Amino acid sequence: MPTRLRLAVIGCGPRGKDHVKAALRSEQFELAAAADLDAKRLAELSDAYGAQARYGDYREMLAKEKRLDVLHLCTQPTLRVPPVKAAIA
């Protein structure tokens, strides 16, 4: 099997879970990292889908994870602009 794309998700609530679940169904992705301020949501998603790394702060994840192919931003719309800007930078 060819190398799978490394996926990361910011926001591990219901929308983040749906995004990860759909992506992993294709078998083209692996969940490289997940980030969420809520430790319980982060642990639930990471445990359920095998996240290789987990972060309580998306900025730390973006600084440490240098080889990400896909990033899903699944925060609430009112909180989305700062992570988008950080991801672009």
Side-chain angles (χ1 to χ4, degrees):
M1 178 177 182
T3 303
R4 294 188 292 171
L5 297 172
R6 292 175 47 81
L7 166 72
V9 62
I10 297 173
C12 297
R15 182 166 299 180
K17 287 179 185 178
D18 288 345
H19 278 240
V20 169
K21 183 178 178 180
L24 295 182
R25 197 175 306 134
S26 76
E27 297 183 9
Q28 293 179 326
F29 300 96
E30 63 184 2
L31 184 55
D36 199 295
L37 294 172
D38 185 306
K40 182 179 178 188
R41 285 192 312 219
L42 177 60
E44 287 174 356
L45 182 139
S46 297
D47 291 346
Y49 299 104
Q52 297 170 13
R54 35 183 102 176
Y55 298 92
D57 186 323
Y58 71 86
R59 292 168 291 221
E60 180 184 6
M61 180 183 79
L62 293 173
K64 289 185 177 179
E65 300 293 330
K66 297 298 181 187
R67 201 182 67 74
L68 296 174
D69 300 303
V70 178
L71 177 63
H72 286 245
L73 285 150
C74 300
T75 63
Q76 294 178 10
T78 58
L79 304 175
R80 200 166 291 147
V81 173
V84 167
K85 287 182 177 180
I88 291 169

